Amino acid sequence: MQKMTVEDVEVGGKRVLVRADFNVPQDRNGGIEDDTRIRACLPTIRYLIDHKARIILCSHLGRPHGRFDEHLRLEPVARRISELLQRPVEPLREAIGPEVMRIVSLMQDGEVILLENLIFYPGEESNDPGFARELSLLADLVVNDAFGASHRAHASVVGLADYLPCVAGLLMEREIGQLSRLLEDPDRPFAAIMGGAKVGEKIGILENILPKLDVVLIGGGMVATFLKARRFDVGISLVEPDMMELIGRILQNAEARGVRVLLPEDVVVTEKMEPESPARGVSSREIPGDCRIADIGPRTITTFTGELRRCRTIMWNGPMGVFEIPQFSLGTTAIATVLADLHATTVIGDGSTAEAVTQLGLAGRMTHISTGGGTSLRFLSGKTLQGIAVLADKK
Ligand code: ADP
Ligand code: MG
């Protein structure tokens, strides 16, 4: 990686501001519903503890837009980190100001504190230089581990770099490393599995990564738009007409480069996308006028999994069907199960697929599951992420 990481700098005795992504889903009582993002940052925190840094954690949580909100304080996050680390993590009631400065000035090597939710301050989202400067006064160095926030031009992600050296944390390094590998030097054959609800946000990836690919497997809601682009009837499935032209171009481009794009030969359809609604397998050429596509069909599962077994790198963005409803989840389950058993590099780049794989208990058997759904889509589409761009380059 061309960016400096926490391992490239001296951190002992230094005040290190760690920008993490602790934007965790909360349940109705304000408890932490899923602590995956917190756990993902632990290696960086542990590294800093072992190397005797003074660790000042910070993050945003929710979107209260520049106002204090009792329900979005980071205190429960501090408690969870403390349980996981088995050591005290002090939650502060503010993120900047004289009281925070005082507490930081009393910190010992290896101590960990957590600043209050950054997004309570209007200057965070507006990337206000004054706010960034105040934050910078707390530390000697910034370690950015918030991959999931690195597309945001916020003060703690981008603005801080004007005042302090910023380097990547271990999670950030892993995310950039795994995703860059797909863009630059994937082991071949390389397959992309594309699915999920919307074509729009995923198609940029295909465009960008096409030259590296050997095969593309299309599933999920975007099947309808791809079939329509090939003049198939798709019943009442949602089609994105604006995407047709782009899809046409990508299909042409793929053909010219010898990249195979496989559409499902059969699909599971239903009249209503509801738990009680019966599911029926049909050929993709015979989709009934009153039905919509809800999953890939059994023959397609056989074809797709056969392709995947031959691949050495697989990137998966988006479930094959409406996996939240059991009778439409077979495609997603079959793909996940095959990937789990492969000796290939398997990278999951979006939130819904990560959720599906986690529900199946197969998360640990993938090479990498990105912690930043939308962020990894942008990264794989070749867009510059400002939070990564400002990290110091390796010498
Ligand atoms: P998200 O932002 O939730 O990750 P995605 O665009 O990745 O959105 O889509 C994920 C969603 O796609 C899942 O909730 C899944 O139910 C839905 N989905 C998958 N296949 C279909 C389909 N054939 N029709 C409609 N929705 C689908
Ligand atoms: Mg998604």
Side-chain angles (χ1 to χ4, degrees), residues 3 167 184 321 337:
K3 295 296 181 182
V167 301
E184 285 157 19
T337 309

Side-chain angles (χ1 to χ4, degrees), residues 11 21 77 87 89 178 180 203 226 281 303-304 334 373:
V11 296
D21 180 4
V77 172
R87 52 162 62 222
V89 175
Q178 293 286 351
S180 313
I203 206 85
F226 272 82
T303 309
F304 280 13

Side-chain angles (χ1 to χ4, degrees), residues 217-257:
L217 310 178
I218 304 287
M222 66 172 78
V223 166
T225 306
F226 272 82
L227 287 177
K228 193 88 189 170
R230 290 199 173 157
R231 307 199 188 289
F232 284 43
D233 214 344
V234 295
I236 51 170
S237 309
L238 192 73
V239 169
E240 293 179 63
D242 315 353
M243 288 294 140
M244 298 282 201
E245 205 190 306
L246 186 55
I247 287 178
R249 209 163 67 219
I250 287 174
L251 290 175
Q252 261 182 359
N253 199 349
E255 202 179 318
R257 291 175 179 278

Side-chain angles (χ1 to χ4, degrees), residues 195-199 201-202 219-223 273 292-295 317-324 332 350-353 355 377:
K198 291 151 278 153
V199 182
E201 59 172 19
K202 309 270 167 61
M222 66 172 78
V223 166
M273 218 59 101
R292 60 184 85 232
I293 301 169
D295 197 5
N317 288 291
M320 295 293 93
V322 182
F323 71 96
E324 297 90 339
T332 304
D350 81 299
S352 308
T353 312
E355 198 185 306
L377 294 183

